[in-house]
Amino acid sequence: MPHPAIATEDRQEKGTEQRELTGSEILLRCLIREGVDTIFGYPGGAVLPIYDSLYHEEIRHVLARHEQGAIHMAEGYARVTGKPGVVIATSGPGATNLVTGIANAQMDSIPLVCITGNVPQNLIGTDAFQEADITGITMPITKHNYFVTDVRDLARVVREAFVIASTGRPGPVLIDIPKDVSNAKTSLEFPDKVFIRGYQPTTDPHPLQVQKLHAAISEAERPVILAGGGVVTSGADQELKAFAEQAQIPVATTLMGIGGFSGQHPLWMGMPGMHGTYAANHALLECDLLIGIGARFDDRVTMGRLDKFAKGAKIAHIDIDPAEIGKNVDAYIPIVGDVKKVLQAALDGLPRSRSADWLRRIEEWKRQYPVTFRPSEKTLKPQWVIRHLYETTGGDAIVTTDVGQHQMWVAQYFRFARPRSFITSGGLGTMGFGFPAALGAQIANPDRVVICVTGDGGFQMTAQELAIAALENIPVKVAVINNRCLGMVRQWQEVFYQERYSEVDLSGSPDFVKLAEAYGVKGLRARTEEEAKRAWQGALAHPGPVVVDFEIDPAENVYPMVAPGSGLDEMIMGDEEA
């Protein structure tokens, strides 16, 4: 239904086309006006009018091989650009195949505009062919959604959708368009303003709260910054760097915050939480001031043991979403606002903390307990592979991942120096995300090296998108960390279920080199470090897409590790890290 609702200036001047246009023509004119240059999608009966209109427009469309691939491509595009990714799917199964990607974007605060077709309105509620109540299905996992009943509302709805998706805390917005609305005609009037009642995101911080933060920093002897995805979203990496350096506060970055503070900076402690570094976890345990910046304090950081988490610390929480402040941890100093604007305000008169002894102690932890691994002359170590990818690209590549062990190894061993370079599924933990996200990221950044680090399990969920890589010569380099099993599940069964390995064996998986070649993509294999060096050098030198199958030991585990429900002081270091 049309959403009554923020007043914001339109990015373009008001304009009207006098001749009548169909709803599908209006939709595409509005997308072009919003600056959309690429659409990811898959056609079907309910969106045929849209695709017929698309035939006449100069806008790039990427035909995925599955709607899940399309929406993950749109996510990859959005995550590296900060602009809303756009995806189109037909009604029924086309729309429902978007659900995982929508939930993924909602959890990680990614701006998307998802356009679905539906059956004509006179058939709604009749269980018509390929009918699904997609607005009802996605209501819990979208920032907002629309069911358009009148073609005269369509231009306003599209304008509102882009505003909602990209302002405040970003997120996915869905527009469901019945086929009769796509075919209906009206004159096109672009809205010069959008008013969305009840939607007024707070972006500027309250000056008194900033003063309280200054006072807390000036008194702190063991301060810590926990930087989350909000730093990346707001483009506040330079402000965070200046803030940390001026106040002399060490920084831990959450999984979504990686790249928001350079992994090569001396104040960086690494990632905290379940597979976090010793220094980051123990700093959170012993700090007297914890400044959460665009972070959710989720269970992978706190481990759900709030009685042990930063228990001696005053907590300051900076976030644009007031619902996040106080949700998981009590905030002594709550600051609602856009992270970039809050840090800019805080830099004015920012005091230096009393952290000299604290920084020396953290440096000692980093020296004594680094994230490391034991080399092997017999097997190819996945940690070595990730470190090699980092060294050969100078840390400047865009890296996407699926979810599991390889994701954690990337977080541990690839020291990202730039924001929007680590593209991963954080909150939802979606297998199959990494490869299509890499395609979307590469389309948005044709001149940068884009690497998809994936597992043999996750890769098989969306490997059909190799067709797109080959057809459009998208030069993504795919590094399959192939342990022939569901690695993270196997690790949990080893550690917590007394080695009862239940349904984790992926024997029967395809030969990934032959699979790549079947799609017309170059495939390479490596079982040793020397083979890995040659294969990766060949992959980087090749102008098109490449799949490199790195075969590793199935018994390899990710350490350090903290068991769910345990405190951050109960780290399992493993034989190699102890």
Side-chain angles (χ1 to χ4, degrees):
M1 298 298 291
H3 188 291
I6 179 171
T8 183
E9 293 296 326
D10 190 23
R11 290 195 289 267
Q12 299 87 14
E13 296 179 359
K14 182 176 179 179
T16 303
E17 291 201 21
Q18 296 303 317
R19 76 177 182 89
E20 288 194 334
L21 302 174
T22 65
S24 59
E25 290 172 324
I26 290 171
L27 171 66
L28 290 166
R29 302 289 174 87
C30 289
L31 292 180
I32 292 170
R33 200 170 178 85
E34 293 293 338
V36 175
D37 54 24
T38 306
I39 298 171
F40 304 89
Y42 202 98
V47 289
L48 281 180
I50 297 173
Y51 276 84
D52 186 58
S53 296
L54 181 63
Y55 182 84
H56 304 285
E57 298 288 353
E58 292 186 3
I59 187 168
R60 183 178 186 180
H61 181 277
V62 178
L63 176 61
R65 295 306 187 255
H66 191 285
E67 290 88 356
Q68 183 176 354
I71 195 166
H72 290 331
M73 289 180 205
E75 281 190 86
Y77 179 97
R79 289 176 190 243
V80 297
T81 64
K83 302 190 302 182
V86 179
V87 62
I88 296 180
T90 194
S91 63
T96 58
N97 279 342
L98 298 180
V99 167
T100 297
I102 294 172
N104 200 54
Q106 176 79 344
M107 289 284 278
D108 289 349
S109 305
I110 307 302
L112 293 181
V113 174
C114 308
I115 299 161
T116 55
N118 214 324
V119 300
Q121 290 182 79
N122 66 309
L123 296 179
I124 295 290
T126 68
D127 292 332
F129 179 67
Q130 291 191 335
E131 179 193 354
D133 179 10
I134 195 62
T135 54
I137 291 168
T138 61
M139 189 173 293
I141 56 170
T142 50
K143 188 175 179 183
H144 188 63
N145 63 29
Y146 296 88
F147 179 69
V148 183
T149 59
D150 190 325
V151 69
R152 293 171 294 182
D153 293 329
L154 190 54
R156 174 187 57 80
V157 165
V158 174
R159 181 83 267 274
E160 285 185 12
F162 277 84
V163 170
I164 293 171
S166 57
T167 59
R169 180 180 181 175
V173 176
L174 182 136
I175 305 172
D176 193 35
I177 308 173
K179 195 170 184 178
D180 58 304
V181 173
S182 291
N183 284 323
K185 288 188 175 183
T186 190
S187 59
L188 169 58
E189 183 173 336
F190 293 106
D192 59 346
K193 289 184 179 180
V194 173
F195 179 77
I196 308 174
R197 189 175 66 230
Y199 182 67
Q200 301 285 344
T202 299
T203 59
D204 295 310
H206 195 291
L208 184 59
Q209 296 305 95
V210 176
Q211 292 174 21
K212 290 180 180 179
L213 178 61
H214 282 181
I217 290 172
S218 67
E219 297 171 358
E221 296 181 353
R222 301 184 307 279
V224 167
I225 291 170
L226 178 65
V231 173
V232 177
T233 298
S234 68
D237 52 298
Q238 291 303 311
E239 286 79 6
L240 176 58
K241 179 176 181 288
F243 183 90
E245 290 177 344
Q246 191 169 324
Q248 281 296 283
I249 302 177
V251 179
T253 47
T254 68
L255 185 70
M256 294 303 299
I258 287 175
F261 189 81
S262 173
Q264 300 164 10
H265 197 285
L267 286 173
W268 186 66
M269 297 183 291
M271 180 180 68
M274 177 174 284
H275 294 289
T277 66
Y278 186 97
N281 281 348
H282 280 260
L284 289 176
L285 288 169
E286 299 186 28
C287 63
D288 62 2
L289 173 64
L290 175 56
I291 307 172
I293 305 179
R296 297 190 291 116
F297 293 101
D298 73 297
D299 63 296
R300 281 303 190 263
V301 170
T302 68
M303 304 311 300
R305 288 298 303 271
L306 299 181
D307 58 322
K308 286 191 171 187
F309 181 78
K311 60 182 180 181
K314 294 178 180 178
I315 296 179
H317 193 176
I318 302 167
D319 205 290
I320 198 166
D321 185 355
E324 286 298 336
I325 297 179
K327 185 177 80 174
N328 293 328
V329 299
D330 293 329
Y332 177 76
I333 306 172
I335 305 179
V336 178
D338 177 78
V339 166
K340 190 180 185 76
K341 291 189 175 184
V342 174
L343 292 179
Q344 286 173 341
L347 282 169
D348 186 13
L350 179 67
R352 189 185 181 103
S353 66
R354 306 172 185 177
S355 61
D357 291 341
W358 177 236
L359 291 176
R360 283 192 287 270
R361 189 174 178 193
I362 287 172
E363 280 303 311
E364 186 62 18
W365 282 339
K366 289 161 70 174
R367 187 188 66 81
Q368 287 188 340
Y369 305 103
V371 176
T372 187
F373 63 96
R374 183 177 299 161
S376 172
E377 296 182 357
K378 297 180 179 179
T379 61
L380 183 60
K381 287 282 191 173
Q383 302 94 330
W384 180 92
V385 172
I386 303 304
R387 191 177 65 186
H388 186 66
L389 303 187
Y390 168 73
E391 291 171 348
T392 54
T393 58
D396 193 38
I398 294 172
V399 181
T400 73
T401 76
D402 268 0
V403 172
Q405 289 179 316
H406 68 274
Q407 178 190 35
M408 295 298 102
W409 285 318
V410 171
Q412 290 175 340
Y413 289 94
F414 203 105
R415 296 200 167 194
F416 293 90
R418 295 170 58 179
R420 300 194 181 278
S421 294
F422 181 47
I423 310 302
T424 196
S425 173
L428 196 65
T430 303
M431 291 178 69
F433 167 82
F435 179 47
L439 296 176
Q442 186 78 82
I443 287 169
N445 290 269
D447 297 326
R448 288 190 67 186
V449 175
V450 177
I451 304 169
C452 169
V453 180
T454 184
D456 46 315
F459 186 48
Q460 292 184 74
M461 292 190 174
T462 50
Q464 68 275 1
E465 306 306 336
L466 282 167
I468 302 301
L471 186 66
E472 302 203 18
N473 197 34
I474 303 171
V476 168
K477 314 306 179 187
V478 182
V480 181
I481 308 301
N482 185 359
N483 56 8
R484 300 167 294 287
C485 67
L486 295 174
M488 188 62 85
V489 180
R490 186 211 58 77
Q491 178 172 337
W492 278 47
Q493 290 177 347
E494 175 188 330
V495 177
F496 305 125
Y497 292 89
Q498 293 75 53
E499 301 183 6
R500 294 191 293 275
Y501 300 120
S502 178
E503 303 304 322
V504 292
D505 185 355
L506 291 182
S507 296
S509 295
D511 181 323
F512 292 112
V513 172
K514 291 182 179 179
L515 179 66
E517 291 172 346
Y519 279 101
V521 172
K522 187 178 183 66
L524 300 167
R525 179 176 289 106
R527 297 186 178 95
T528 67
E529 288 184 9
E530 286 305 312
E531 290 178 357
K533 289 177 182 177
R534 288 195 299 271
W536 186 243
Q537 183 180 16
L540 291 177
H542 185 67
V546 182
V547 173
V548 184
D549 182 8
F550 294 101
E551 294 189 6
I552 68 164
D553 185 351
E556 197 72 39
N557 286 337
V558 181
Y559 291 112
M561 182 180 188
V562 180
S566 300
L568 294 178
D569 57 338
E570 301 175 69
M571 297 178 69
I572 304 170
M573 300 302 291
D575 293 339
E576 298 180 355
E577 290 77 11

mmCIF file of all heavy atoms in Angstrom, residues 366-381:
data_model
loop_
_atom_site.group_PDB
_atom_site.id
_atom_site.type_symbol
_atom_site.label_atom_id
_atom_site.label_comp_id
_atom_site.label_asym_id
_atom_site.label_seq_id
_atom_site.Cartn_x
_atom_site.Cartn_y
_atom_site.Cartn_z
ATOM 1 N N LYS A 366 49.766 -8.582 21.631
ATOM 2 C CA LYS A 366 49.874 -8.813 20.190
ATOM 3 C C LYS A 366 51.167 -9.557 19.856
ATOM 4 O O LYS A 366 51.180 -10.404 18.947
ATOM 5 C CB LYS A 366 49.811 -7.477 19.442
ATOM 6 C CG LYS A 366 48.429 -6.847 19.454
ATOM 7 C CD LYS A 366 48.441 -5.360 19.135
ATOM 8 C CE LYS A 366 48.788 -5.070 17.717
ATOM 9 N NZ LYS A 366 48.646 -3.613 17.414
ATOM 10 N N ARG A 367 52.227 -9.248 20.579
ATOM 11 C CA ARG A 367 53.508 -9.914 20.325
ATOM 12 C C ARG A 367 53.500 -11.351 20.838
ATOM 13 O O ARG A 367 53.989 -12.265 20.157
ATOM 14 C CB ARG A 367 54.637 -9.138 21.005
ATOM 15 C CG ARG A 367 56.038 -9.649 20.679
ATOM 16 C CD ARG A 367 57.098 -8.990 21.518
ATOM 17 N NE ARG A 367 56.959 -9.340 22.919
ATOM 18 C CZ ARG A 367 57.408 -10.490 23.443
ATOM 19 N NH1 ARG A 367 57.984 -11.396 22.665
ATOM 20 N NH2 ARG A 367 57.259 -10.739 24.723
ATOM 21 N N GLN A 368 52.937 -11.574 22.013
ATOM 22 C CA GLN A 368 52.957 -12.909 22.626
ATOM 23 C C GLN A 368 51.928 -13.856 22.005
ATOM 24 O O GLN A 368 52.171 -15.057 21.929
ATOM 25 C CB GLN A 368 52.687 -12.805 24.130
ATOM 26 C CG GLN A 368 53.843 -12.251 24.934
ATOM 27 C CD GLN A 368 53.591 -12.351 26.424
ATOM 28 O OE1 GLN A 368 52.451 -12.475 26.874
ATOM 29 N NE2 GLN A 368 54.648 -12.302 27.205
ATOM 30 N N TYR A 369 50.773 -13.321 21.603
ATOM 31 C CA TYR A 369 49.673 -14.172 21.128
ATOM 32 C C TYR A 369 49.178 -13.724 19.753
ATOM 33 O O TYR A 369 48.011 -13.349 19.583
ATOM 34 C CB TYR A 369 48.511 -14.142 22.122
ATOM 35 C CG TYR A 369 48.897 -14.523 23.524
ATOM 36 C CD1 TYR A 369 49.056 -13.550 24.516
ATOM 37 C CD2 TYR A 369 49.111 -15.861 23.875
ATOM 38 C CE1 TYR A 369 49.394 -13.889 25.810
ATOM 39 C CE2 TYR A 369 49.451 -16.211 25.168
ATOM 40 C CZ TYR A 369 49.606 -15.224 26.126
ATOM 41 O OH TYR A 369 49.950 -15.561 27.413
ATOM 42 N N PRO A 370 50.017 -13.763 18.744
ATOM 43 C CA PRO A 370 49.550 -13.395 17.398
ATOM 44 C C PRO A 370 48.681 -14.510 16.816
ATOM 45 O O PRO A 370 48.751 -15.658 17.259
ATOM 46 C CB PRO A 370 50.857 -13.257 16.613
ATOM 47 C CG PRO A 370 51.784 -14.231 17.274
ATOM 48 C CD PRO A 370 51.439 -14.189 18.748
ATOM 49 N N VAL A 371 47.866 -14.153 15.848
ATOM 50 C CA VAL A 371 47.151 -15.184 15.092
ATOM 51 C C VAL A 371 48.160 -15.825 14.160
ATOM 52 O O VAL A 371 48.769 -15.161 13.319
ATOM 53 C CB VAL A 371 45.989 -14.567 14.284
ATOM 54 C CG1 VAL A 371 45.320 -15.633 13.425
ATOM 55 C CG2 VAL A 371 44.971 -13.937 15.230
ATOM 56 N N THR A 372 48.371 -17.113 14.338
ATOM 57 C CA THR A 372 49.424 -17.777 13.578
ATOM 58 C C THR A 372 49.022 -19.216 13.268
ATOM 59 O O THR A 372 47.954 -19.677 13.681
ATOM 60 C CB THR A 372 50.754 -17.752 14.368
ATOM 61 O OG1 THR A 372 51.804 -18.265 13.531
ATOM 62 C CG2 THR A 372 50.676 -18.571 15.639
ATOM 63 N N PHE A 373 49.868 -19.911 12.536
ATOM 64 C CA PHE A 373 49.605 -21.306 12.194
ATOM 65 C C PHE A 373 50.932 -22.017 12.028
ATOM 66 O O PHE A 373 51.980 -21.391 11.863
ATOM 67 C CB PHE A 373 48.780 -21.408 10.890
ATOM 68 C CG PHE A 373 49.484 -20.856 9.678
ATOM 69 C CD1 PHE A 373 50.188 -21.697 8.829
ATOM 70 C CD2 PHE A 373 49.450 -19.497 9.392
ATOM 71 C CE1 PHE A 373 50.851 -21.203 7.716
ATOM 72 C CE2 PHE A 373 50.107 -18.986 8.278
ATOM 73 C CZ PHE A 373 50.806 -19.843 7.437
ATOM 74 N N ARG A 374 50.875 -23.322 12.103
ATOM 75 C CA ARG A 374 52.070 -24.146 11.970
ATOM 76 C C ARG A 374 52.230 -24.567 10.504
ATOM 77 O O ARG A 374 51.371 -25.250 9.961
ATOM 78 C CB ARG A 374 51.976 -25.373 12.865
ATOM 79 C CG ARG A 374 53.219 -26.261 12.855
ATOM 80 C CD ARG A 374 53.052 -27.405 13.843
ATOM 81 N NE ARG A 374 52.887 -26.882 15.196
ATOM 82 C CZ ARG A 374 52.373 -27.594 16.203
ATOM 83 N NH1 ARG A 374 51.953 -28.831 15.995
ATOM 84 N NH2 ARG A 374 52.272 -27.061 17.407
ATOM 85 N N PRO A 375 53.306 -24.162 9.835
ATOM 86 C CA PRO A 375 53.508 -24.555 8.428
ATOM 87 C C PRO A 375 53.596 -26.070 8.270
ATOM 88 O O PRO A 375 53.913 -26.805 9.212
ATOM 89 C CB PRO A 375 54.832 -23.879 8.066
ATOM 90 C CG PRO A 375 55.018 -22.797 9.083
ATOM 91 C CD PRO A 375 54.390 -23.310 10.340
ATOM 92 N N SER A 376 53.315 -26.516 7.067
ATOM 93 C CA SER A 376 53.385 -27.944 6.769
ATOM 94 C C SER A 376 54.041 -28.159 5.419
ATOM 95 O O SER A 376 53.800 -27.403 4.475
ATOM 96 C CB SER A 376 51.979 -28.558 6.756
ATOM 97 O OG SER A 376 52.006 -29.894 6.295
ATOM 98 N N GLU A 377 54.869 -29.188 5.349
ATOM 99 C CA GLU A 377 55.480 -29.554 4.069
ATOM 100 C C GLU A 377 54.655 -30.604 3.330
ATOM 101 O O GLU A 377 54.924 -30.913 2.183
ATOM 102 C CB GLU A 377 56.897 -30.079 4.301
ATOM 103 C CG GLU A 377 57.858 -29.042 4.875
ATOM 104 C CD GLU A 377 59.258 -29.592 5.048
ATOM 105 O OE1 GLU A 377 59.450 -30.805 4.772
ATOM 106 O OE2 GLU A 377 60.150 -28.833 5.461
ATOM 107 N N LYS A 378 53.635 -31.131 4.020
ATOM 108 C CA LYS A 378 52.836 -32.211 3.443
ATOM 109 C C LYS A 378 51.516 -31.723 2.859
ATOM 110 O O LYS A 378 51.037 -32.282 1.865
ATOM 111 C CB LYS A 378 52.571 -33.283 4.511
ATOM 112 C CG LYS A 378 53.824 -33.973 5.030
ATOM 113 C CD LYS A 378 53.465 -35.020 6.072
ATOM 114 C CE LYS A 378 54.709 -35.742 6.589
ATOM 115 N NZ LYS A 378 54.379 -36.748 7.628
ATOM 116 N N THR A 379 50.906 -30.743 3.503
ATOM 117 C CA THR A 379 49.589 -30.284 3.056
ATOM 118 C C THR A 379 49.615 -28.777 2.821
ATOM 119 O O THR A 379 50.459 -28.058 3.346
ATOM 120 C CB THR A 379 48.503 -30.608 4.099
ATOM 121 O OG1 THR A 379 48.811 -29.935 5.332
ATOM 122 C CG2 THR A 379 48.405 -32.103 4.350
ATOM 123 N N LEU A 380 48.660 -28.317 2.032
ATOM 124 C CA LEU A 380 48.502 -26.893 1.756
ATOM 125 C C LEU A 380 47.676 -26.276 2.863
ATOM 126 O O LEU A 380 46.545 -26.682 3.119
ATOM 127 C CB LEU A 380 47.822 -26.703 0.403
ATOM 128 C CG LEU A 380 47.634 -25.261 -0.088
ATOM 129 C CD1 LEU A 380 48.977 -24.561 -0.233
ATOM 130 C CD2 LEU A 380 46.877 -25.269 -1.409
ATOM 131 N N LYS A 381 48.238 -25.297 3.542
ATOM 132 C CA LYS A 381 47.564 -24.670 4.668
ATOM 133 C C LYS A 381 46.663 -23.526 4.173
ATOM 134 O O LYS A 381 47.120 -22.627 3.454
ATOM 135 C CB LYS A 381 48.594 -24.105 5.648
ATOM 136 C CG LYS A 381 49.328 -25.168 6.451
ATOM 137 C CD LYS A 381 48.437 -25.675 7.567
ATOM 138 C CE LYS A 381 49.209 -26.536 8.555
ATOM 139 N NZ LYS A 381 48.402 -26.883 9.722
#
